[in-house]
Amino acid sequence: MLPNFAQLSRPRRLSDLAGQPVAQAMLGPQLEARQVGPVLLMAGPRGTGKTTSARIVSTALNCEVSPGLEPCGGCRSCQAMARLAPSTETYLELDAGTSGTIDQIRQLVAEASMPVAPGQTRVIVLDECHLLSQAAASALLKTLEEPPPRVVFVLATTDPHKLLPTIRSRCLEIPFTEVPAAAVEARLAELAAEHSLELSGEQVQAIAVAAGGDLRRAMKLLQTSGTPDAFQSGTFLLDTAGGSRELLAARLVLAVAEGDLPKAAAEGRLLFGGQGSRRLSLQQAFSLLGEQLYRLNLLLAGVPAAELQVSAPEAQALAEASQLLTPGRGLAWAEALTSSWSALADAPLADEPALGLVLLRMLRANDQPAAPAPSASPGLPTTPPAPAGPIATPTDAAGWAQAITGLEPGLAALLGKAQLVSLANGLAVLRASSITRQRLQPRLMEAATALGLAIELAA
């Protein structure tokens, strides 16, 4: 079993705090001068270092050798904090979610008022402070208005807007943000090196994406992967990180845009990775790829990458792909995916070869040259090609079979997989398998308009 990385690697100094430059900039001068504001509000997402920063403040102020920005780390006080067993005279921590009743807050206020030993500062941490009841918050308010000497209150919360305005107005608010993926990856790589784990760059990136800016969760994912041998298996990427499939699909899109079939095939194999129920089905893989192609076409249409609501690595991969494509080619890829699903959904092919055929179709779209201009004899005007004529509305089974061949290939393939039950009085009734029905339903109006009749799917 791997160690508890979150506990072992908890930062002891402010300079070790990952991905929080604003918090470091605000706390640094206060710790250096040993003059910290009496009430700090540390607000931000989970796993970003709020409680850790409170402990750093206590360590820095109560170090017996070199109090300030760079505590020694070896004295009795520093070691006690490192073991998470500090003296209750210098550090108190209360979770408002489980211990925030009015009686407990009154007891906390009483303890805050007790004298502090010379040269020491009592740091009182109230985690998830937004969960305090109205009565408990009111009981705390008076003490926050007039804090006892050498006492620092640290209120930590993921929802600062839920705090009473009267409490929030008395705090120095220190914002915490999601830890950037690069900072998470750097810390995971350090831990892998320290503990001799064979962790590839792809695996590091997968964990960082799955953690979603929560460094504590990233370390938990690293810890719960099992044993060091688990990292030697490519399935770790999906078995542990889970949410990394979206990134793999985005990177697959980028590989196809670059025309790199071996790389695209490798990403496809990882996309299908996993064991048992964790292994993707072909339909799930097509769905993921379709979602990323949709986002790619949004980028090609001018939508900023910041509005895609995906992880930073996904947005970067899709943005790079968009630089290599034209809007027309992006739409052609989407059509290739749709028509391929229609053709392959019931085909007797394994998942990976089926996806490989789709990638080949997309790569062929990369190679399609622009249609040559029509040749013209010298001195004669160029005659543009005649547009395709309208599709004749079918009145019988033979006419139906002929008419659907003139539709867009993907739509024609879908209708070809359905059985024509009846065709009379301008109404075609079709019967289809559940998979074909699911894919055909959104395009019935398109088909009906093109063929000039109504279309229904039989129950």
Side-chain angles (χ1 to χ4, degrees):
M1 183 65 182
L2 295 173
N4 186 336
F5 293 115
Q7 182 172 337
L8 285 177
S9 63
R10 188 185 291 274
R12 313 299 183 202
R13 295 180 174 86
L14 189 64
S15 57
D16 297 329
L17 193 63
Q20 303 299 338
V22 175
Q24 288 172 318
M26 294 182 69
L27 286 172
Q30 298 181 61
L31 295 181
E32 189 170 19
R34 299 184 62 192
Q35 294 181 351
V36 177
V39 187
L40 305 178
L41 174 60
M42 297 184 177
R46 298 181 185 279
T48 55
K50 300 184 296 297
T51 306
T52 293
S53 296
R55 292 170 179 170
I56 289 174
V57 168
S58 181
T59 302
L61 295 179
N62 292 299
C63 176
E64 297 169 356
V65 177
S66 56
L69 193 56
E70 294 293 332
C72 71
C75 69
R76 179 178 56 86
S77 177
C78 288
Q79 286 294 308
M81 182 59 74
R83 294 192 305 270
L84 303 182
S87 167
T88 56
E89 293 185 1
T90 59
Y91 185 84
L92 296 171
E93 185 174 318
L94 189 70
D95 185 344
T98 58
S99 306
T101 66
I102 185 170
D103 290 336
Q104 289 166 318
I105 292 301
R106 284 171 177 164
Q107 181 181 350
L108 184 70
V109 167
E111 292 175 350
S113 302
M114 296 177 65
V116 182
Q120 293 185 332
T121 301
R122 180 177 294 132
V123 176
I124 299 176
V125 181
L126 192 57
D127 200 10
E128 299 298 342
C129 60
H130 63 278
L131 297 177
L132 287 173
S133 67
Q134 180 85 18
S138 299
L140 180 64
L141 179 59
K142 180 63 176 178
T143 302
L144 296 184
E145 290 175 339
E146 300 178 7
R150 298 204 307 277
V151 173
V152 174
F153 283 91
V154 178
L155 309 185
T157 178
T158 54
D159 294 297
H161 63 280
K162 293 183 179 179
L163 282 176
L164 287 178
T166 48
I167 287 184
R168 192 171 181 179
S169 65
R170 284 158 176 79
C171 302
L172 171 62
E173 188 164 341
I174 300 176
F176 284 73
T177 60
E178 291 182 353
V179 181
V184 176
E185 291 173 20
R187 190 68 191 108
L188 292 175
E190 290 174 5
L191 289 172
E194 291 172 9
H195 296 272
S196 302
L197 301 176
E198 295 186 14
L199 192 62
S200 70
E202 289 181 346
Q203 291 168 331
V204 168
Q205 191 176 50
I207 296 175
V209 170
D214 183 335
L215 185 55
R216 182 173 59 230
R217 180 166 185 254
M219 293 183 182
K220 188 66 175 177
L221 287 171
L222 188 62
Q223 176 195 352
T224 56
S225 62
T227 66
D229 293 339
F231 294 102
Q232 298 176 12
S233 169
T235 60
F236 164 82
L237 184 65
L238 297 178
D239 288 344
T240 297
S244 62
R245 289 187 171 107
E246 289 78 6
L247 174 60
L248 288 174
R251 289 169 55 184
L252 190 154
V253 170
L254 175 58
V256 178
E258 293 171 338
D260 190 338
L261 181 58
K263 181 179 177 182
E267 300 290 359
R269 284 192 295 272
L270 287 174
L271 188 63
F272 279 116
Q275 300 294 331
S277 62
R278 293 179 178 177
R279 180 174 173 83
L280 280 188
S281 67
L282 182 62
Q283 183 175 359
Q284 289 171 321
F286 267 66
S287 178
L288 277 173
L289 192 55
E291 289 174 6
Q292 299 300 30
L293 288 180
Y294 168 69
R295 295 181 178 113
L296 175 67
N297 278 285
L298 289 179
L299 291 175
L300 291 169
V303 175
E307 296 183 13
L308 293 184
Q309 296 183 338
V310 296
S311 68
E314 284 178 69
Q316 180 179 352
L318 293 173
E320 291 178 11
S322 70
Q323 298 300 313
L324 303 173
L325 301 172
T326 62
R329 185 161 293 168
L331 289 173
W333 280 15
E335 287 186 4
L337 183 70
T338 302
S339 60
S340 295
W341 171 252
S342 304
L344 296 172
D346 299 326
L349 280 175
D351 292 347
E352 289 182 25
L355 183 62
L357 290 175
V358 178
L359 302 182
L360 286 171
R361 290 193 65 179
M362 293 169 67
L363 283 169
R364 283 202 62 189
N366 283 357
D367 298 332
Q368 292 294 329
S375 58
S377 301
L380 295 178
T382 299
T383 303
I391 299 174
T393 298
T395 57
D396 54 27
W400 171 266
Q402 177 63 35
I404 64 175
T405 61
L407 299 174
E408 182 271 325
L411 182 56
L414 278 173
L415 291 171
K417 294 172 75 65
Q419 176 189 358
L420 180 65
V421 177
S422 64
L423 177 57
N425 302 320
L427 172 64
V429 179
L430 307 178
R431 180 175 290 115
S433 67
S434 59
I435 293 177
T436 300
R437 184 187 187 92
Q438 180 182 2
R439 305 299 297 180
L440 183 57
Q441 187 70 50
R443 305 194 67 180
L444 281 182
M445 183 61 70
E446 176 186 352
T449 302
L451 296 174
L453 45 70
I455 302 176
E456 289 184 0
L457 292 175

